[in-house]
Structures are given as C-alpha cells and as structure tokens.
Amino acid sequence: MRSMTGFGQGVTAVDHAEVRVTVRTLNGRALEVRSALAPALMNLEPSVLEIVRPRIHRGRVDVRADLEITATMDDDGSEHLRGVDRLAETLDKLRFRYGVQAPLSLDHLLHAGAMMQVEAAMTPPVVRLKGALESALEDALHEVEVFRDREGTILRRFFEDACSRLEQLVGAIADAAKGAGCEMRQKLEDRVGRLLTEAEFAGATEERVASEIALLAQRADIEEEIQRAGMHIARLRELVGPAQGPGPVGKRVDFMLQELLREANTMAAKSSRAELTHRVVDAKAIIEQLREQAHNIE
C-alpha cells in the first residue's frame, strides 16, 4: 500500500549542461500528470508521460524539468564565447565610427542576441537531452516511490490499529444487542395487549397481531448487520495488509468503508438501547477517520 503524497529529485549531466527534474505527487481521484519543462525540453513531454504513467496509477503528479548550461570560458564552449568577443569588438568600432559616446554594455550584446546564440550553441542535441531527461526522471521517481512506500507503511499501521478497534466495538455491539429482539417483542406484546382492549382494535385476531409483532421484532434485529460488518473489516485488513502488494487499492478501500458505514447507519437506526447506540456512534467515528485517510491511498 502506498501513499499518494511524495517528492523526489534527479540530476543528470550531459555535455555542457545539467538536466534537473523535480517530481511532486498529491492526492487525486484519478491520475493527472502536469509537466513544466524548460524550452529545450518541451518536445520531450511524451517521453515524460510514458515513464510516469506505468509507475504511478493515481493522484496528481507535477513534473518540473530545468536545463542549466554549465560551460565556462575554459570549456569547449569557449569558441562560442570568443564569437561574443568578436561581436563586442565590432560594436565598439561602430560606436567610435558614428561618434556614440555611451559605453558598450551587456545590454547591447543581449539585444543583439549574442548570449542566446551562445546558449543555443551550447545546448546538447535533442537525442542526448532525451536520455538525460529520462535518467533524471527515473531517479526522481525512485525517490518518490521510496517516499510513498514509507508513508504507506504509516497508513497501514493506522488502518490495522483502527480495524482492531472496530472489531472490538463490533463485538461490544453484538453483546449489547443480545436479547434486543426479545425485549422489543415483549414491549410490543404489552403495548398491543393494552390496545386490544380498546373498541377500535377489538376485531383484530390474535394470529394477525402475533404476525405483526414478529415482523417488527425482526426489523429491530441487527445480527445480519453485525455479521456483514465483521466481513467488511476482515476484507479491509486484506486490502491494507502487506500481502496485497504495492498495487493501487485506494478505491477498493474507500468502497469497503462506504459499505461498513452503511451497516453502522442501519444498526444505529434499529437500535433501541442507549448502550448499543453509543457503541455504534464510536464505530462510526473510527470509520470516518479511516475515510479521511483513505483519500491519501493510491
């Protein structure tokens, strides 16, 4: 079981540059990949999607990739920088020829596009950039997976502890519900006995009255709900257990919690004892806590 929250970084050097990739993952109902790539890397977005989608199945994924030119005057890119020097000399000669008093500045070179030409010349070929981007992305995703696995272990412990508490509460609910049907039946018989003495109910047969009492008592019985709740808790343990593996289970966990909450609501509606109602309310509180945490399970 994995969390949907994660963070990772990767850096790969290529020629006179470095590709830096940052990956952040957040909660989400479905997989949503958002990428922010440097201009030289924008055409490689399909490669990003091909790598991310098989690794992450659910949640929002933000991928940022930057390209940093690391060449200096002493690197192989010095020839391109010498071209800037020649451009500066030419501009300086033009300044003297036409009597321009203002000194030559870096803004003049930038306006002439010299630096952009140097950066473009030093940018590695797309094929090499693709390999560097994929390598850095793989490293970042590995860190993300380690992060998500660690958070998933914490979530698993929380769910296992909550399941133990729910099992205890279901047992307490079963104990509190013992005899509830008989108690309800006795109350109904006493009440109906008083009503039968009144004139408007004098024509009712004992068989009809007994049938209605049995039906109402059966509706107050929660034995089936208790059994189903126990089955749901057992299934929940299987889904969050280590034997389930690293695959996505978040949607199935959320579904089981909905079913468990439905059983708890039915038990609360049928409850006629204060002790039983209190136990059901405690169980519902734990289920709601689990539903909040389930939003972070992949």
Side-chain angles (χ1 to χ4, degrees):
M1 185 174 75
R2 284 178 173 170
S3 165
M4 280 194 283
T5 304
F7 177 82
Q9 291 179 311
V11 181
T12 299
V14 52
D15 296 342
H16 315 297
E18 283 184 347
V19 177
R20 298 178 178 272
V21 175
T22 301
V23 178
R24 288 183 174 86
T25 60
L26 302 170
N27 301 350
R29 296 184 63 85
L31 178 62
E32 179 186 5
V33 182
R34 298 183 180 183
S35 59
L37 309 182
L41 304 172
M42 290 184 65
N43 291 334
L44 300 176
E45 184 175 6
S47 298
V48 172
L49 298 178
E50 289 178 4
I51 294 175
V52 171
R53 283 174 175 166
R55 302 276 290 269
I56 299 177
H57 304 91
R58 190 176 177 218
R60 174 178 161 182
V61 184
D62 292 331
V63 180
R64 179 182 177 87
D66 296 310
L67 178 65
E68 180 180 348
I69 303 299
T70 58
T72 64
M73 287 293 290
D74 296 326
D75 294 328
D76 293 337
S78 58
E79 178 62 31
H80 303 294
L81 294 180
R82 282 194 289 271
V84 177
D85 292 337
R86 290 193 293 270
L87 176 60
E89 292 175 1
T90 301
L91 291 175
D92 205 37
K93 290 178 181 179
L94 291 173
R95 184 173 66 87
F96 282 108
R97 174 176 294 184
Y98 294 103
V100 178
Q101 299 298 321
L104 185 65
S105 68
L106 183 60
D107 288 338
H108 296 118
L109 295 175
L110 292 175
H111 186 69
M115 293 305 180
M116 288 184 288
Q117 293 174 13
V118 171
E119 182 176 353
M122 291 183 178
T123 300
V126 174
V127 175
R128 292 182 59 77
L129 283 178
K130 183 175 184 292
L133 174 63
E134 292 176 350
S135 176
L137 181 57
E138 291 282 357
D139 291 342
L141 286 174
H142 176 70
E143 289 189 3
V144 168
E145 289 171 345
V146 171
F147 191 104
R148 286 156 65 99
D149 286 340
R150 184 169 60 248
E151 293 293 314
T153 300
I154 297 174
L155 282 172
R156 176 182 292 117
R157 292 171 183 168
F158 178 83
F159 268 77
E160 289 175 345
D161 178 67
C163 285
S164 297
R165 287 184 288 151
L166 281 174
E167 287 169 342
Q168 293 175 358
L169 280 172
V170 170
I173 290 171
D175 292 338
K178 288 179 180 178
C182 295
E183 182 179 317
M184 175 66 71
R185 184 186 183 93
Q186 185 61 48
K187 288 182 179 179
L188 289 171
E189 288 177 348
D190 294 342
R191 185 176 179 183
V192 171
R194 291 193 299 269
L195 290 173
L196 287 176
T197 60
E198 300 179 9
E200 58 181 307
F201 294 101
T205 63
E206 292 186 4
E207 291 79 6
R208 174 65 184 278
V209 171
S211 176
E212 292 295 330
I213 291 175
L215 180 61
L216 291 172
Q218 183 179 6
R219 290 177 179 174
D221 184 35
I222 62 172
E223 182 177 353
E224 291 185 3
E225 285 78 9
I226 291 173
Q227 291 178 354
R228 285 195 295 266
M231 293 171 57
H232 295 334
I233 295 172
R235 177 55 179 158
L236 194 59
R237 278 191 179 278
E238 293 178 1
L239 289 174
V240 302
Q244 185 66 31
V249 296
K251 290 184 178 180
R252 284 178 287 172
V253 168
D254 186 58
F255 175 76
M256 292 309 305
L257 289 173
Q258 290 180 31
E259 293 298 309
L260 193 55
L261 184 60
R262 184 177 291 110
E263 301 298 342
N265 286 332
T266 303
M267 286 188 277
K270 290 184 176 182
S271 174
S272 60
R273 293 179 174 180
E275 180 185 1
L276 178 58
T277 301
H278 294 160
R279 293 286 186 268
V280 174
V281 170
D282 291 341
K284 289 176 64 175
I286 296 176
I287 295 170
E288 289 295 343
Q289 291 176 359
L290 290 175
R291 292 189 70 186
E292 291 178 4
Q293 295 299 322
H295 294 159
N296 197 31
I297 299 177
E298 184 183 43

